Amino acid sequence: MYQTIYHRASSVDEAVSLFGKSSEAKFLAGGQTLLPVMKQRLASPSDVIDLGKIKELQGVELSGDVLTIKAGTTYFDIMQNADVKKVIPAIAYLTSVLGDPAVRYRGTIGGSIANNDPAADYPAALLALGATVKTNKRSISADDFFQGLFTTALEDGEIITAVSFPVPAKAGYEKMRHPASRFALTGVFVAQTKSGEIRVAATGASQSGVMRVPAIEAALKGNWSPSAIDGVSISASNLLADIHGTAEYRANLIKVMAQRAVAAAG
Amino acid sequence: MGVEGIGARVVRKEDKRFITGKGRYVDDIKLLGMTHAHFIRSPHAHAKVKGINSAEALKMPGVVAVLTGQEIVDDKVGNLICGWAITSKDGSPMKMGAWPAMAPETVRFVGQAVAVVIAESKNLARDAAEAVVVEYEELPAVADVHAAIKSGAPQLHPEASGNQVYDWVIGDEGATDAAFAKAANVVKLDVTNNRLAPNAMEPRAAIADYDAAEEHFTLYTTSQNPHVARLVLSAFYNIAPEHKLRVIAPDVGGGFGSKIFIYPEEMVALWASKKVGRPVKWTGDRTEAFLTDAHGRDHVTHAEMAFDANNKITGLKVKTYANFGAYMSLFSSSVPTYLYATLLSGQYNIPAIHAEVIGVYTNTTPVDAYRGAGRPEASYLIERLMETAARQLKVDPTALRRTNFITQFPHQTPVIMAYDTGDFNASLDAAMKAIDYDGFAGRKAKAKADGKLRGIGVSCYIEACGIAPSKAVGSLGAGVGLWESAEVRVNPVGTIEVLTGSHSHGQGHETTFCQLVAERLGVPISQVSIVHGDTDKVQFGMGTYGSRSAAVGLTAILKAMEKMESKAKKIAAHALEASEGDIVIENGEFKVAGTDKAIAFPMVALAAYTAHNLPDGMEPGLKESAFYDPTNFTFPAGAYICELEVDPGTGKTSFVNFVAADDFGRLINPMIVEGQVHGGLAQGIGQALLEHAIYDASGQPITASFMDYSMPRADDLPSFNLSHTTTLCPGNPLGIKGCGEAGAIGASAAVINAITDAIGKNNLEMPATPDRVWRTIHAA
């Protein structure tokens, strides 16, 4: 690790102010990506601004048909939360299969989506559920937020404060784990909104990060069942390929995981 | 056996310190004035080193020195050696290229060191290393054996034309050809044995401490064999004579073979310590482990097996290309030859065998012994062949094996090994019963109805362990003898220290070796301590590898115990005024047989040291040593059967059951044996399903971190069902065969045989990743 200056912010405003005073600062949420990268000397921020103790970034709120998870809430707290389990159990499940216990105690939803790793689980949930990302400056729809590998709509120094999920009629998530990293080799989140819209998002599969899967959405429209996807053909072009999964395999996984997610959603 | 004797499930004495964080590993050691080394390593698979500019680095804070490959060559530190000479079929010796500890001119694999920064802290050394400018001229590289032997391929070493180290043969080619000419059926198979990274939990580390006044070096290092390290460093690397070099291997966190070898970092640390006049510490990180710990396996093989009309094997032909990486590591030459081809007879009566092994240089990390070392490759090949044959001949795979099992012992194979004993039917019976083999067809049908593909796979392995008779291995080219030594020191109060040349780095010697003493003397194991891992304490030793510590190391302890007991009996007889022949040892007492006359063992020890009343002419003291050279290899064997299901949608494998019936001869501590089997099976299953050290065509490693290299985890593995069938080894007095490698040797074939049974296609390479299995299922 290179030398860096550590700051612990006590409020979002203080964090923003600290960021403005530093030359190349990084916000630290759960540190599950930033710290390993710094340890390997692949990142050298001049300053690290820890958001972990900011009270306004903690907690889950259910208000009518909207579930709001504050950005600094850890995976462990999300998967344990009664409201999450009650209104969007698919999020509780996704969180329970994310990483390992050590990751779940430290990692946060805000950190995950700000990083937008192409194999992260949460981006698929946000995209399929049509969530809204709240920052210290504005609200951004999930459709606009995720902009490719490790790229989001966030501006320099902008801090995610919360994610709001409209409570769906049905939702499910299934993934095939990457054999080595245990990230999603391919994961698919399926959702049916209360207004009847079908939204399906796949993570780990596309060269441009999390993506909607229109072919599966179309197949599920009017026939919410695994077998509705039987005839769907997913193109392997523009999908990721590596030693653990060819593009063709990932195309197959999009379909198989979608079927299993629909089955899980009920 | 007593509660702590041979055969007792004694809880490991060493675990208290390990599980409370009190283990003392090399990196835990801090010496006064210690500096820290960071190596500058090649990012290229093959390149000329055109220049190294360390001017800026030397100006940085805390930098003590920047030392280069040219300097270590100039100081006449020897090149790394390969300790087993192999002769090619044309009679020529193997062709070795020079391997300096740091490359002065040419780098041949990614990660090869070209220079080292010595600084006041590890972090300062890393900072300065980034300021050292190394100018490389890239050369074409080759990573794959088939590519490396093609004409026009990039050449690694001028000494080895065509990148060929040797072309070695074993067996009778004429007899084998004749068998094939008469064969009723011939079964052919191409297999790749995937390259593995050893991944001990503790990365390699070294601290070198030069004492200028005494001209004496101390090396703390992560070694499985500290005396061998001292011998090689002294005899070949020109570091220091043996009496001026102390090698200490304290607690070592796993080795699996990778810590047998003496590595460049240890040589550089010693040399640098003298140069800078201060202790030098190097602790490798995980990336360095992936890049520089000797890898394992990496064979490409074509094999054919001939059968007569009764399904009896009549001949076996094997041609193997072994990838050695960029340099010949310490025992690398022996692995695909004498540790591999000599086991090609498996558990079967094969009248004629011929094998050819071509060793090849590539621009990859050097390859050497890794848990099983050659025997997993042989066992995998033979057991895949037997399964393939059963499918082709349309017979039950267990029946085909039984038709060909060796049942008479001793049995001389056509490939050197003489099996001393075994009962292959017994272990197969036990495994088949444990897994309910007969009920499999019903279970498969039921799984099919649930949309799952269920398969069963058998693997009947044999290995040669307890290496080895020194005379035998000497005649085959080994540079060392493979005996073991021990010393039993009884203290005046009757406590006992056992000094052993074996080295424990996870095996539990501090418990099992005490159990032998408890068995013989009837004293509690708390009265016994095991001393190992320090060349100043233990006179000599060959170390721990090849499942040899119990069969060879413990037998040496037994020999020393017998000498000590003999003297103690004389002292006891003298004190009890009885005849030496009437003295028996029971429950910590020396007794006159058939009487109530007895003297407690501590009193015998005290008498030996007070020397007030010893038999006339007897020397005081109670301390004996012994060297034990085995008469033969030992031959652990067993049957593994794996039942699993494949998800046709994803290609993912899930275990239903895994049974292992092993014959290890006598077990000292069944609990520790089970732990060894669990670990071995995990590594064998890891090879079958997950692990693969991969290079791209230009020699860049693709799997240099756990984000890409799949290590098996608990949830990848089934709960193992273990049992033992026992034939005592006649070659050593304790009847021990060894258990350390069996799991890694036998497991992978069982898994691949089961998956290929499940999916109904025979050709599937390791690792059988979900992607690969899915593509195989859906291939035309």
Side-chain angles (χ1 to χ4, degrees), chain B residues 540-561:
Chain B
F540 211 94
M542 297 312 298
T544 289
Y545 39 81
S547 307
R548 70 193 302 270
S549 294
V552 188
L554 193 58
T555 305
I557 295 172
L558 172 69
K559 297 281 181 193
M561 283 290 293

Side-chain angles (χ1 to χ4, degrees), chain A residues 2 41 180 182 244 249 260, chain B residues 127 130 647 650 713 716:
Chain A
Y2 294 107
R41 296 190 160 207
R182 303 295 168 103
H244 295 288
Y249 181 61
R260 293 178 187 182
Chain B
D127 287 344
E130 290 175 9
D647 176 347
T650 63
R713 305 182 198 197
D716 292 313

Side-chain angles (χ1 to χ4, degrees), chain B residues 435 440 443 454-456 641-645 654-657:
Chain B
I435 207 158
F440 174 73
R443 298 194 296 277
R454 189 175 283 219
I456 197 163
I641 307 182
C642 167
E643 185 170 333
L644 49 73
E645 284 183 353
S654 305
F655 287 100
V656 177
N657 203 348

